[in-house]
Amino acid sequence: MGVSPEVARLCLPGTLSTLKAKGGVVLCNVLYDGSAAIYAVAVGIIMASSFDKVALAFPVPAVVISRDDRSKLLEYIRTAEYPTATILSTETTTDVMAPTVVPFSSRGPNPITPDILKPDITAPDANILSAWSPLAFPSVWMFDDRQVDYYIISGTSMSCPHVTDAAAYNKAAHPTWSPAAIKSALMTTDSIMDPRKNEDAEFGYGSGHINPVKAVDPGLVFDASEADYVDFLCKVTTPPY
């Protein structure tokens, strides 16, 4: 059954013509699981998305580009007599302004108590290479039956273990320190992040990027007891809604 060009551009499963896509690299308007290329016997897929800075695993060779780059690529396809595409292996680049807070990370300020900085701290959470269960999906396509030992993943589920490990490392060095003291050590020894690449500044990255080694010897530590938190909560004025 045929579909309209508008639907085919979405590259949903079963919407691409094998006669047109077989052996080629297809360009799609949106980010999806890449399975359309498999069903159409294409050798690769290019998808446009605002999440072009986050690495994802696909069942076929794939590239995620920005919407602006998609427009440029589409113009090339329309004007070239024999348009060609090559998907290269990932290369490591150096960015002197790194790290950068990803777009999907929560931003401040704290709506209840603006005087308390939120977020607290920044830790690695994007494009993290981690161990992976061979029973889990090896790509974003749920029917991918391959098995892998490692996977690229992003999100708070990645940054949380980094901070937890840093806190445990600090606790091992200072067994008597309270959670508040450890949090203080982590926040006051962070690496400064560049606001030119993080437009939300402290409301994007908090006190900075975590540095577990420096946090072991922070110098001044700001501690807080249970009584301090109770006293604070009793004096918080909830804003009207």
Side-chain angles (χ1 to χ4, degrees), residues 95-102 107 122 190-210:
D95 186 349
V96 296
M97 294 174 65
T100 305
V101 181
V102 292
R107 302 300 201 267
T122 299
D190 284 345
S191 300
I192 298 174
M193 294 180 65
D194 197 327
R196 292 173 298 174
K197 198 163 185 179
N198 300 274
E199 59 181 19
D200 294 304
E202 286 78 8
F203 289 142
Y205 49 70
S207 59
H209 194 266
I210 194 170

Side-chain angles (χ1 to χ4, degrees), residues 1-17 27-30 32 36:
M1 181 178 67
V3 298
S4 67
E6 289 72 22
V7 174
R9 292 188 186 105
L10 302 178
C11 295
L12 301 177
T15 61
L16 299 180
S17 169
L27 175 64
C28 309
N29 282 8
V30 298
Y32 202 62

Side-chain angles (χ1 to χ4, degrees), residues 3-213:
V3 298
S4 67
E6 289 72 22
V7 174
R9 292 188 186 105
L10 302 178
C11 295
L12 301 177
T15 61
L16 299 180
S17 169
T18 303
L19 295 177
K20 295 182 178 180
K22 184 178 181 179
V25 177
V26 296
L27 175 64
C28 309
N29 282 8
V30 298
L31 177 63
Y32 202 62
D33 64 9
S35 61
I38 294 178
Y39 295 126
V41 201
V43 297
I45 189 168
I46 301 173
M47 294 169 282
S49 172
S50 56
F51 288 96
D52 58 308
K53 299 297 187 294
V54 178
L56 298 170
F58 294 95
V60 295
V63 174
V64 180
I65 61 176
S66 68
R67 301 192 187 284
D68 288 340
D69 286 340
R70 176 198 166 277
S71 298
K72 298 175 184 177
L73 181 55
L74 187 59
E75 180 64 21
Y76 161 72
I77 294 173
R78 289 171 172 169
T79 56
E81 184 176 1
Y82 299 107
T84 61
T86 303
I87 298 179
L88 303 175
S89 299
T90 301
E91 297 180 354
T92 302
T93 60
T94 300
D95 186 349
V96 296
M97 294 174 65
T100 305
V101 181
V102 292
F104 58 79
S105 181
S106 298
R107 302 300 201 267
N110 188 333
I112 305 299
T113 54
D115 291 336
I116 296 181
L117 180 64
K118 290 295 177 181
D120 299 308
I121 198 170
T122 299
D125 78 335
N127 304 335
I128 304 299
L129 178 63
S130 57
W132 197 248
S133 169
L135 301 179
F137 299 130
S139 72
V140 295
W141 185 39
M142 64 181 299
F143 298 109
D144 195 336
D145 59 2
R146 296 173 298 171
Q147 292 183 333
V148 296
D149 295 324
Y150 295 92
Y151 192 68
I152 294 287
I153 192 170
S154 302
T156 306
S157 57
M158 291 292 100
S159 60
C160 183
H162 281 88
V163 178
T164 301
D165 288 345
Y169 179 61
N170 197 290
K171 184 69 172 178
H174 306 284
T176 61
W177 280 15
S178 69
I182 293 175
K183 177 182 177 181
S184 169
L186 294 174
M187 292 184 64
T188 57
T189 57
D190 284 345
S191 300
I192 298 174
M193 294 180 65
D194 197 327
R196 292 173 298 174
K197 198 163 185 179
N198 300 274
E199 59 181 19
D200 294 304
E202 286 78 8
F203 289 142
Y205 49 70
S207 59
H209 194 266
I210 194 170
N211 189 326
V213 176

